[in-house]
Structure formats: C-alpha cells, structure tokens
C-alpha cells in the first residue's frame, strides 16, 4: 500500500527534510506493508477544493483550525471517527484541542498536530524603553491602552496595532471580541446565526478607534497583512499586538528578532471576557482514500507529529534537529497531551531548550485556566474578510459609525452563512 503525505519540508530546510526522511524510513520499518511518498503540498484555501475534486489531494495533509468545520461540512475531508475511537494514543490528547476536530454531532475529521492560542504579543525592549515592566504584561484592555501611550511617547514605534488585511483583521477582531464577551457566530440546533452586532465586537472596535484617534498611539500604517505585522514586530516598530502565541519560531528563527525582546502573554480579558481563540494544524485524510489508506495515514500522523511527546528517542531527535537548524526548542505552544505528559517531554529535551521560558510564565500558567474557543463554524475565512473592512474603517475614519457598520455586517455575514449551510 502506498500513501502520499503532504507538508514535506522543502529542500531549503535541509535539517527538517533529513528528519522527515529519517522518520519515513523508521515508519516503513515498523509498517513494512506501507510505502510513504512525501509531497510538499500545503493547504491553500484558493486551490484546496480543486485538489480534492481532481483527486490529487495527498492521502493526508495538514489544514488550519479555521477551515476544518467548513471542510467537514463540504465533505472535503474524511470522517475518521471509526479510526480514532478507542485509539490508545489519541485518547490521551488534550480534550481542549481534540474537540477542535469534531463537528456538532461529535464526529471526528482529523487529528490535531500542532496547537496554539491567540495571545498578547509585546516587545520587551520597548517596554523597558517606555519605563514599563516587561515581566508584568497587562491583564486588561485599559492597561494595554495605557502602555500603548507610554510606548508611543518614548519611541517611534506604534504603541498598539493589529494586522488588518488578508482576513487577519477579521481573525484578530474575532479574538478581541471573545476577550470582550462575544462570539461572532452562534450555533442554534442545526443552524448557525451571525452575532456580529453583539457587544464584544463593538467594544473591540471602540478600543481600536480610541487607541488610534484619542491616544494617537497606533502608528501610521493601518493596512498591514499578518506578514507585514510580523516583520514590524521583529524590527521593533510595534510595541503591542494580538497574534498567535506560536510565532516565536517564525520571529526569532526566521526574522532575526532577539528572543529576549519577544514578549508573549495571555490575551487580556474584560470583565465579560469568555476566553481566547485557539488555532493550529489538523492532519486530515482525503475523502477519496480507501479505508486501509486512511488507517495507514493516521498511523503516520501519530508517528510523525505526536510521537515525540510520548517517546524519548523521538523527542531527543526532534530537539537535536531543531536546535541544529537554529530553531527554538521550548517555545510557547499548547500541549497536545496532559500537563504530566508534556512536563515529561520537556524533561527529555531539557538539554536542548534554547528559549528563556521564564519570560513566558504568565502565558504558560494561562493554558490551564483561560478557556480556548473555536473558530466560527461556518464560512470563517469569508466572514473574516468581511470584518477586515470594519477594522480598516475605524483606523482610517475618525467619524466611523461603528453601530451602523455592525448592523450592515450582521446582515452580510448572515447572508454568507445562509449561502453555505
């Protein structure tokens, strides 16, 4: 039997590619009836439907949290409930992340292979320059606003700013809405309703408006993609923002930001806050895979992505490869297994940890207390695209009518949902 597996590291990442090939050889030794063929195919929302329809989707590949519910609804990923039921390894997964792979009926459509939460990101060096304590990140949005003003007074950096284009504005606004007490969609039985006109969205937009216009602490560039934002953070041009807590690897490993300057803390909450948005990667199986191919693919997924948390040799090999490639070991992430299993994994790789984990004590502590909420279940990316516009509007128009904008967005978002359900 031959299975095709996506997300193979590219040749410009030789250390990780070597580890991948080593894992393929070891897996095939354990499963001599299975041949693994690696492919560099990665998820692209613009081409995924054609990939599935054309029969060229690998037997397994990773998709983001954002899209899993819609892909399941569309029948573009395989229902693997019968494959994961009773599995010894998968039964140990962190329930908070495992539930992201399930639909409202409890059917399972993938296996989480990496997880993070949206977090408060800040520049520790800019905090020091502004006379702020980098070891005491803000817990409320009022504190974020005060710190933004201090950073803007002490430097040329924006005190607080978010990415606002390519769906990132909507994604981050949704996160900030959660922190202010509202979701943007609500499931009622078999239907999903838009809830964009709820109070949390309005409070988040009002915060952005006030930082920009009242405090003059949002900088000068209000049309930034997530890639722009990451470059700006790494270059010290942004003091505070909201992004995924998994960005240490990218900012420090790829964009040359000093690790000591990167602050990652729990997402601040208002009194009504209900938690933070979860994100990550989910390994799925092709809907056109046979039962045997899907079963082999899930065995590969467990071996490739989860084995290092349960097997000391796999953990050490992963840590050695990452450190040799200049990548972080011990950076913030959501544990895929119980705290006890994750702590044991950390003890195995302790000799390779190259991240000052003391800087992220508050974030690590929050993982056991701050609720992790899922993505909007229907048309998430399309809804985020709608919300991009309103984040740009409040940052570029001082007289932006937020209630009127939300009323229109509520209508438009519900139309998107109705067209999809």
């Amino acid at each position: 039997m031959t299975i095709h597996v996506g997300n193979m590291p590219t040749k410009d990442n030789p250390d990780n590619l070597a580890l991948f090939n080593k894992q393929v050889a070891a897996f095939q030794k354990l499963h001599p009836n299975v041949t693994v063929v690696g492919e560099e195919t990665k998820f692209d929302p613009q081409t995924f439907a054609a990939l599935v329809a054309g029969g060229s989707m690998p037997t397994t590949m990773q998709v983001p949290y954002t899209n899993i519910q819609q892909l399941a609804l569309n029948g573009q990923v395989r229902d693997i409930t019968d494959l994961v039921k009773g599995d010894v390894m998968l039964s140990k997964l962190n329930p908070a992340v495992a539930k992201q792979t399930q639909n409202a009926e409890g059917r399972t459509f993938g296996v989480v292979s990496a997880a993070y939460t949206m977090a408060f990101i800040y520049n520790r060096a800019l905090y020091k320059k502004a006379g702020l304590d980098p070891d005491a990140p803000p817990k409320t949005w009022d504190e974020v606003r005060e710190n933004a003003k201090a950073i803007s007074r002490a430097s040329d950096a924006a005190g607080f700013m978010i990415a606002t284009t390519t769906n990132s504005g909507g994604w981050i606004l949704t996160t900030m809405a959660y922190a202010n007490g509202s979701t943007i969609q609500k499931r009622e039985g078999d239907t999903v309703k838009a809830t964009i006109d709820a109070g949390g969205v309005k409070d988040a937009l009002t915060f952005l408006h006030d930082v920009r216009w009242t405090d003059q602490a949002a900088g000068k560039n209000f049309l930034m993609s997530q890639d722009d934002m990451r470059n700006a953070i790494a270059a010290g041009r942004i003091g505070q923002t909201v992004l995924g807590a998994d960005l240490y690897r990218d900012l420090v490993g790829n964009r040359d930001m000093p690790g000591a300057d990167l602050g990652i803390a729990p997402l601040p909450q208002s009194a009504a806050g209900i938690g933070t948005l979860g994100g990550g990667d989910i390994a799925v199986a092709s809907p056109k895979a046979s039962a045997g191919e899907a079963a082999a693919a899930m065995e590969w997924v467990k071996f490739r992505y989860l084995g290092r948390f349960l097997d000391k040799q796999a953990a050490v090999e992963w840590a050695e490869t990452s450190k040799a490639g200049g990548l972080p070991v011990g950076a913030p992430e959501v544990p895929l297994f119980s705290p006890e299993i994750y702590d044991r994994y950390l003890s195995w790789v302790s000799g390779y940890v190259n991240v000052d984990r003391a800087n992220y004590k508050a974030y690590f502590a929050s993982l056991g207390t701050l609720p992790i909420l899922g993505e909007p279940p229907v048309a998430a990316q399309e809804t985020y695209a709608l919300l991009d516009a309103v984040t740009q509007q409040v940052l570029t128009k001082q007289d932006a009518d937020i209630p009127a904008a939300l009323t229109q967005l509520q209508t438009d978002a519900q139309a998107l949902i109705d067209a999809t359900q």
Side-chain angles (χ1 to χ4, degrees):
M1 179 190 305
T2 297
I3 61 171
H4 294 254
V5 301
N7 301 92
M8 182 176 72
T10 54
K11 291 180 180 177
D12 59 357
N13 196 345
D15 292 315
N16 279 332
L17 180 57
L19 177 61
F20 175 88
N21 289 330
K22 188 174 182 179
Q23 288 181 310
V24 168
F27 180 81
Q28 292 180 152
K29 188 174 181 180
L30 283 173
H31 303 275
N33 62 325
V34 180
T35 299
V36 175
V37 178
E39 297 184 10
E40 295 177 359
T41 307
K42 292 183 178 179
F43 179 79
D44 181 339
Q46 304 302 318
T47 61
F48 187 77
L51 201 67
V52 176
S56 52
M57 175 186 170
T59 317
T60 182
M61 63 183 290
Q62 292 176 294
V63 304
Y65 274 30
T66 314
N67 295 77
I68 187 64
Q69 296 297 331
Q70 192 66 56
L71 297 178
L73 187 67
N74 295 347
Q76 293 172 314
V77 293
R78 185 184 179 90
D79 183 335
I80 60 168
T81 305
D82 293 340
L83 292 175
V84 303
K85 189 176 181 181
D87 185 277
V88 174
M89 180 186 289
L90 299 181
S91 68
K92 298 176 182 175
L93 281 172
N94 179 348
V97 298
K99 71 180 182 181
Q100 305 297 333
T101 65
Q102 299 171 347
N103 67 4
E105 289 74 43
R107 304 296 295 181
T108 300
F109 294 87
V111 174
V112 173
S113 53
Y116 64 87
T117 62
M118 296 295 283
F120 178 73
I121 308 300
Y122 63 105
N123 187 304
R124 295 173 58 88
L126 286 174
Y127 259 51
K128 292 176 184 174
K129 189 172 184 179
L132 303 170
D133 182 356
D135 294 323
K139 298 178 180 177
T140 69
W141 292 102
D142 287 342
E143 292 173 357
V144 174
R145 193 173 162 185
E146 290 303 312
N147 289 0
K149 287 188 282 188
I151 291 167
S152 292
R153 285 195 298 267
S155 70
D156 293 332
F160 181 90
M161 184 55 190
I162 63 170
T164 57
T165 69
T166 56
N167 300 3
S168 292
W171 179 51
I172 296 168
L173 179 61
T174 297
T175 300
M176 294 175 67
Y178 289 0
N180 284 283
S182 299
T183 59
I184 64 167
Q185 291 182 359
K186 182 179 181 182
R187 185 179 292 279
E188 296 178 349
D190 293 333
T191 63
V192 172
K193 298 291 186 184
T195 55
I196 286 175
D197 56 354
V201 184
K202 181 182 176 182
D203 289 347
L205 287 170
T206 301
F207 171 85
L208 291 174
H209 179 276
D210 291 347
V211 171
R212 162 70 176 96
W213 297 104
T214 304
D215 304 337
Q216 298 289 321
K220 297 178 180 177
N221 186 353
F222 311 113
L223 297 174
M224 300 178 75
S225 68
Q226 190 181 156
D227 191 56
D228 297 332
M229 177 59 66
R230 289 181 177 226
N231 283 332
I233 297 168
R237 300 197 301 271
I238 301 286
Q240 307 174 113
T241 190
V242 173
L243 276 175
D246 63 335
L247 48 53
Y248 189 104
R249 185 182 183 95
D250 180 41
L251 296 192
V252 179
N254 301 327
R255 306 186 196 234
D256 298 327
M257 182 175 188
D261 289 353
L262 178 55
I264 300 174
L267 187 72
Q269 302 285 304
S270 75
I274 55 176
T276 188
L277 179 63
D281 296 317
I282 296 173
V284 297
S286 167
K288 297 188 178 182
S290 69
E293 290 168 343
M298 288 304 104
E299 288 301 314
W300 163 256
V301 167
K302 289 191 296 181
F303 185 84
R304 163 81 169 142
Y305 298 108
L306 306 182
R308 68 182 168 103
F309 297 108
L310 301 172
D311 180 85
K312 183 176 181 180
Q313 181 179 346
V316 170
E317 285 183 351
W318 178 88
E320 278 181 335
T321 302
S322 295
K323 190 171 184 179
L327 296 174
V329 177
E333 61 183 342
V334 175
L336 297 185
F337 292 94
S338 68
E340 292 76 19
I341 290 176
Y342 192 70
D343 287 345
R344 185 183 64 182
Y345 157 76
L346 285 176
S347 72
W348 290 339
V349 302
S350 60
Y352 303 93
V353 170
N354 53 8
V355 173
D356 188 350
R357 289 174 58 85
N359 285 342
Y360 310 114
K361 285 190 296 186
Y363 177 76
F364 294 134
S366 76
L367 292 174
T369 56
L370 188 62
I372 302 174
L373 306 175
E375 301 272 6
V378 177
Q381 291 290 4
E382 293 83 353
T383 304
Y384 289 162
L386 275 181
L387 294 177
D388 271 2
V390 73
T391 62
Q392 296 164 15
Q393 185 181 4
V394 298
L395 290 166
T396 57
K397 285 184 65 177
Q398 187 168 7
D399 60 350
D401 187 337
I402 293 175
L406 291 180
T407 298
Q408 183 60 52
L409 282 169
Q410 172 73 14
T411 300
D412 296 343
Q414 188 60 53
L416 270 178
I417 294 171
D418 292 342
T420 306
Q421 288 187 120

